[in-house]
Amino acid sequence: MRQVLTTAIGKTIRAAMRLRGGGSALPGLIVEKIDPQFMARTLETLPRGVVVVSGTNGKTTTTKMVVELLEAAGLKVFTNRTGSNFSRGVVASLLGEINGMGKLDADIAVLELDEAWAVHFVKTVRPRYSLLLNVMRDQLDRFGEIDTTAGFLQKIAEATQETVVLNRDDSRVYAIHQHTRAQAKYFGLTTELIKLMPSDDSLKTGDAQANDAVACEVLLTEVGDQVATFQIGADNYQTEVAVNGVYNLLNAAAALSLAKTILPQTPTQTFIDAVALVKPAFGRGESINYKGTAIDLLLVKNPSGFRLSLLSFGKRDRQTMIAINDNYADGRDLSWLWDVDFTLLSGIHSVTGARAADMALRLHYDGVEIGQVQPDLKVALEDFLNSEPGKDKQIFCSYTAMLTLRKLLSEKTEVEDIS
């Protein structure tokens, strides 16, 4: 009876908020307050349990990949596809999927969770599987130390019941295998690719070496322009991919590892075919069409991630804007921008956002020419769109800047609804 009542209240609030055009996580927050066990009761009915995906970089894209791989193999998958990765976001997503009796029609849940909030989640819902991606210098004003972030991921692993899939070549993530009773499996890179995609640590030390002594479920061995080769068991699989950026190919290796762990009897080629079709998650290399031109939104939030994004997209013949905010969800301390090498950019149209002046100063020290500095995102976007019409564009943006720009673009052209 309580499940039905909570469902009715939550769905009513959700419908009201959607009419007002916002507040996607608010219904989840209210339901958490009035019925703290709602999420656990709903998820415990799933026959294949719950999967938690966490880590500093790549959570949203990797979760999307895992969902689409499992769906290609025939499973019904529930996920928090809006990227609202606190528990209230999971509850809000549940309210959109359950029926009037509070029942969820799914085989498995695959949930992207913020590192810190995942610790609270696993106290209520113990995952059957977890996938832990990486630990990087991101939001250290919130987490304090990079080892604190690793500690959060360790708590997820400790709560995992069956299998935890770990990044073999991130030393802090790999060390987590010592602190879990669950079976540990791994994904990774070759040494040659680690030199191309170094972690924050190896950027500082220059030491980029694969952990070859540990076997991987899936090893990324070669990358090209929208092409990747994965070693899975004794076989190599080369495939074209729709996602942008070399870093997303490692995310694909992670997703393949988890999918094969959950469904070991499924032919590997089924997963390879599915990973080739996965399109970028919103704001993570997402391409929005505006009057016949492409506008790519490229999320950046730490030195390694920004470096890899510049490596993938910095030299493209596209008009470029950088949008940087310093809201809570971005991280208030943006000193990490000084650890990024921007010399790949020969020049950009503009910088915008609350920290536009700081971004402009950083670019000045790397000799990057800037057309204009405009803190107002709406004004900057309008000028950017009207400049050189017909030329494809790209925007490197922090998280809240991306959300704002995406909303502004949705008022001008068709943008995928993620609510």
Side-chain angles (χ1 to χ4, degrees):
M1 183 65 185
R2 186 170 189 182
Q3 183 78 357
V4 175
L5 180 59
T6 302
T7 297
I9 293 171
K11 282 183 170 290
T12 300
I13 297 170
R14 182 176 183 274
M17 295 306 300
R18 285 175 66 85
L19 285 174
R20 293 181 59 185
S24 62
L26 181 60
L29 179 61
I30 294 172
V31 166
E32 278 191 313
K33 294 292 186 183
I34 64 174
D35 187 357
Q37 295 303 311
F38 174 80
M39 179 174 63
R41 281 201 315 272
T42 307
L43 294 176
E44 70 183 5
T45 64
L46 299 178
R48 289 184 177 269
V50 173
V51 179
V52 168
V53 179
S54 196
T56 305
N57 269 12
K59 293 186 290 292
T60 301
T61 297
T62 306
T63 299
K64 188 175 190 289
M65 288 178 171
V66 173
V67 169
E68 296 190 24
L69 266 59
L70 297 181
E71 288 179 339
L75 293 188
K76 293 181 182 179
V77 185
F78 165 75
T79 189
N80 51 333
R81 67 185 300 269
T82 66
S84 181
N85 55 23
F86 291 5
S87 56
R88 71 193 68 157
V90 175
V91 175
S93 296
L94 282 171
L95 292 171
E97 297 292 329
I98 57 178
N99 64 21
M101 301 299 292
K103 299 294 184 182
L104 180 62
D105 183 21
D107 299 309
I108 192 169
V110 179
L111 305 175
E112 169 198 348
L113 290 176
D114 169 85
E115 300 94 303
W117 278 90
V119 174
H120 299 288
F121 176 89
V122 299
K123 290 178 182 177
T124 304
V125 179
R126 291 190 63 194
R128 184 171 176 181
Y129 308 95
S130 59
L131 171 58
L132 307 180
L133 298 169
N134 45 53
V135 180
M136 297 182 182
R137 283 186 295 139
D138 185 17
Q139 297 193 44
L140 292 189
D141 52 331
R142 178 180 166 214
F143 293 151
E145 298 287 344
I146 193 168
D147 289 332
T148 301
T149 308
F152 292 149
L153 299 186
Q154 181 178 312
K155 293 293 186 184
I156 300 170
E158 288 171 353
T160 301
Q161 299 180 80
E162 191 166 316
T163 307
V164 56
V165 179
L166 302 171
N167 183 342
R168 179 194 71 174
D169 300 309
D170 184 306
S171 60
R172 291 179 178 84
V173 173
Y174 172 70
I176 290 172
H177 80 275
Q178 304 171 54
H179 304 280
T180 178
R181 294 181 180 179
Q183 178 185 24
K185 294 189 177 182
Y186 305 93
F187 66 95
L189 295 163
T190 63
T191 294
E192 290 73 20
L193 290 181
I194 288 178
K195 292 176 180 177
L196 179 66
M197 295 184 271
S199 66
D200 286 349
D201 286 342
S202 55
L203 276 174
K204 287 182 174 296
T205 65
D207 180 23
Q209 194 74 30
N211 188 4
D212 291 325
V214 178
C216 284
E217 185 81 6
V218 177
L219 182 70
L220 178 63
T221 59
E222 294 181 37
V223 300
D225 185 15
Q226 305 292 118
V227 175
T229 301
F230 302 99
Q231 181 181 317
I232 304 176
D235 300 316
N236 290 314
Y237 296 84
Q238 185 180 77
T239 180
E240 294 184 355
V241 290
V243 292
N244 300 313
V246 293
Y247 46 87
N248 277 327
L249 303 181
L250 180 58
N251 293 335
L256 285 164
S257 299
L258 180 58
K260 285 190 62 61
T261 296
I262 296 169
L263 295 174
Q265 302 306 315
T266 299
T268 298
Q269 193 61 50
T270 299
F271 293 136
I272 294 294
D273 293 343
V275 85
L277 301 176
V278 178
K279 294 181 179 179
F282 76 97
R284 282 80 170 172
E286 175 187 25
S287 189
I288 295 172
N289 184 285
Y290 175 72
K291 295 184 177 180
T293 63
I295 304 169
D296 290 353
L297 297 180
L298 306 166
L299 179 66
V300 292
K301 53 182 191 158
N302 52 51
S304 181
F306 210 150
R307 177 190 177 279
L308 288 172
S309 195
L310 289 170
L311 179 66
S312 296
F313 309 113
K315 289 188 176 181
R316 293 196 300 181
D317 182 25
R318 294 201 173 198
Q319 238 188 341
T320 299
M321 181 165 75
I322 300 179
I324 302 294
N325 281 348
D326 63 348
N327 296 315
Y328 177 76
D330 304 297
R332 304 306 303 272
D333 179 5
L334 295 178
S335 60
W336 61 264
L337 289 170
W338 291 87
D339 294 328
V340 181
D341 180 1
F342 290 97
T343 56
L344 278 172
L345 295 170
S346 57
I348 64 172
H349 176 272
S350 54
V351 293
T352 184
R355 297 295 286 271
D358 302 79
M359 187 70 250
L361 179 65
R362 175 67 192 95
L363 292 171
H364 169 76
Y365 273 89
D366 271 1
V368 179
E369 294 185 7
I370 305 167
Q372 66 170 307
V373 179
Q374 170 53 261
D376 189 301
L377 286 163
K378 185 173 183 179
V379 174
L381 179 63
E382 196 69 35
D383 180 79
F384 188 56
L385 295 178
N386 292 330
S387 177
E388 294 191 59
K391 184 169 186 177
D392 289 340
K393 305 177 191 301
Q394 60 188 12
I395 308 174
F396 297 95
C397 41
S398 67
Y399 182 69
T400 65
M402 178 269 290
L403 293 179
T404 299
L405 292 168
R406 202 173 184 278
K407 186 175 187 300
L408 291 170
L409 285 167
S410 72
E411 298 168 0
K412 298 175 176 293
T413 188
E414 184 176 346
V415 176
E416 181 188 5
D417 182 11
I418 58 162
S419 62

